[in-house]
Amino acid sequence: MPFQPIAGYPLHRPRRLRAHPRLRELTRESHLTVSDLIYPIFVYHGANLRREVPSMPGQYQLSLDRLGEAVAEVAELGIPGILLFGIPEHKDTFGSAATRDDGIVQEAIRITRRQAPNLLIITDLCFCEYTDHGHCGPLSEAGGRLDVDNDATLPLLAQQALSHARAGADMIAPSGMMDGMVQAIRHGLDGAGFTHIPIMSYAAKFASGYYGPFRDAAESAPSFGDRRGYQMDPANGDEAIREVALDLAEGADIVMVKPALAYLDIARRVKDTFGVPVAAYNVSGEYAMVKAAALRGWIDERRIVLETLTGFKRAGIDMILTYHALDVARWLS
Ligand code: PBG
Ligand code: ZN
């Protein structure tokens, strides 16, 4: 440590820098701003639908005809980007609705582009909202276990990415934790001339209990088993670094850590190890806990959310995917 007590020398006093509010501002190390935020949106089949998700107060399933007003508000608040999820009417074993050029997310991209031309449109790339079994790709049996077929999923992911790119997506965010997914998507995009579209990879995504409310919103809970065969064990930090290294080697432009709160050590290690742009997903269960306590008047929601998100910045996170984005944008303005 730089400060060794010296006999007879005045006591060092950190409190000197805390007394004046302006001096606290000048010495503040991390800053949360509206430009750090990405807002996730659930687009749901049907018409004239704006249905609140019971476990996510303030978040809605929106039909395509109600999306325009929502994205206009996001843009108005100065939030740089949205992350689109689609919940289609028809699901099947392969999740074939995900790769259609007239699919729900593809249409949502076009509507967003029209309503909010300057908003960054990011699309979540996975199959769990589109398969009837709720897993993140087609299934096959290996070693007596039914699980997602990794290599059969890769070309489908490339197709899905291409249909998003053709519809006008600005960035693709694959969330399925398949081995080789970034490379497959990068090759697919490059081969069709979309070399300019970046990939934000869910690189270190853990098999987490915190996704519960999201699966209500996206109707994507697996109908059997769980996702531990493809998402990471929450106990593993070194493995997260290896996962991030692989995704970067395969061409990821931004790497994501998910969830955020219980994994800030991972975010810090990723930032220090690779020095690349790091995103964190402040997931549905994290949101639900804050909302539940706030609705009972047990916590000061604004203070707690701003403190939490500032903590993400301090941990080295560059951008935050959060359902609190609209509130935060209002609080900071
Ligand atoms: C789908 C996906 C999930 C989330 C984002 N993309 C859920 C899952 O893996 O089951 C979770 C987001 C949240 O909880 O807010 N692959
Ligand atoms: Zn999935």
Side-chain angles (χ1 to χ4, degrees):
M1 292 303 289
F3 301 113
Q4 292 296 324
I6 298 167
Y9 203 76
L11 179 66
H12 189 65
R13 292 185 183 274
R15 287 187 55 189
R16 277 190 203 113
L17 299 182
R18 293 180 202 142
H20 196 297
R22 297 286 88 78
L23 192 51
R24 287 201 294 272
E25 286 169 13
L26 285 166
T27 55
R28 187 162 295 142
E29 299 174 30
S30 309
H31 300 271
L32 176 69
T33 71
V34 67
S35 54
D36 299 320
L37 306 174
I38 297 167
Y39 184 56
I41 295 182
F42 303 108
V43 188
Y44 198 88
H45 63 86
N48 195 23
L49 181 85
R50 185 172 183 267
R51 183 164 60 207
E52 191 169 31
V53 181
S55 52
M56 301 175 73
Q59 304 306 313
Y60 300 85
Q61 295 172 325
L62 298 172
S63 53
L64 286 166
D65 56 320
R66 302 296 297 271
L67 179 64
E69 48 188 307
V71 294
E73 189 184 10
V74 176
E76 185 74 17
L77 285 165
I79 294 166
I82 58 166
L83 176 68
L84 286 174
F85 293 94
I87 302 109
E89 189 170 3
H90 300 292
K91 307 191 185 215
D92 59 29
T93 32
F94 295 99
S96 55
T99 53
R100 296 170 59 111
D101 280 334
D102 62 351
I104 187 152
V105 160
Q106 292 80 356
E107 293 295 351
I109 294 166
R110 296 185 188 100
I111 289 168
T112 303
R113 179 67 68 221
R114 260 200 313 278
Q115 288 293 317
N118 298 321
L119 208 53
L120 186 83
I121 303 173
I122 311 168
T123 54
D124 183 271
L125 198 79
C126 203
F127 285 96
C128 46
E129 297 94 351
Y130 300 89
T131 52
D132 50 17
H133 45 73
H135 280 285
C136 298
L139 305 171
S140 68
E141 209 177 290
R145 255 183 287 276
L146 194 59
D147 205 345
V148 175
D149 186 329
N150 192 87
D151 294 8
T153 306
L154 298 180
L156 299 175
L157 284 169
Q159 281 177 35
Q160 194 186 4
L162 270 180
S163 76
H164 291 185
R166 280 195 295 266
D170 294 305
M171 183 155 72
I172 307 290
S175 65
M177 288 296 280
M178 294 302 122
D179 295 337
M181 68 179 183
V182 174
Q183 184 179 54
I185 293 163
R186 187 72 270 160
H187 277 156
L189 290 172
D190 290 354
F194 294 108
T195 52
H196 58 286
I197 303 233
I199 296 174
M200 171 195 266
S201 179
Y202 288 65
K205 178 175 178 180
F206 291 85
S208 172
Y210 284 101
Y211 306 151
F214 172 94
R215 292 176 189 174
D216 296 339
E219 296 175 359
S220 63
S223 61
F224 69 91
D226 54 42
R227 302 207 204 290
R228 289 188 174 94
Y230 38 107
Q231 298 178 351
M232 286 185 57
D233 186 324
N236 296 354
D238 293 343
E239 187 192 352
I241 299 302
R242 296 198 298 274
E243 277 280 7
V244 169
L246 280 171
D247 281 15
L248 290 170
E250 292 176 25
D253 301 281
I254 299 173
V255 288
M256 193 197 298
V257 175
K258 178 186 175 193
L261 272 178
Y263 301 90
L264 291 188
D265 59 319
I266 309 287
R268 169 49 69 194
R269 285 178 68 180
V270 169
K271 191 64 180 179
D272 289 348
T273 306
F274 302 104
V276 296
V278 177
Y281 202 139
N282 178 213
V283 299
S284 57
E286 299 174 315
Y287 176 83
M289 292 193 302
V290 171
K291 282 299 200 187
L295 284 166
R296 283 163 182 75
W298 291 349
I299 58 168
D300 177 341
E301 179 178 6
R302 173 181 172 149
R303 192 168 167 192
I304 281 198
V305 171
L306 293 176
E307 178 178 338
T308 302
L309 270 53
T310 301
F312 295 170
K313 295 299 301 291
R314 194 195 62 241
I317 290 159
D318 299 292
M319 61 201 91
I320 305 163
L321 299 108
T322 182
Y323 305 100
H324 297 291
L326 303 190
D327 288 335
V328 171
R330 289 189 197 102
W331 292 332
L332 293 179
S333 71

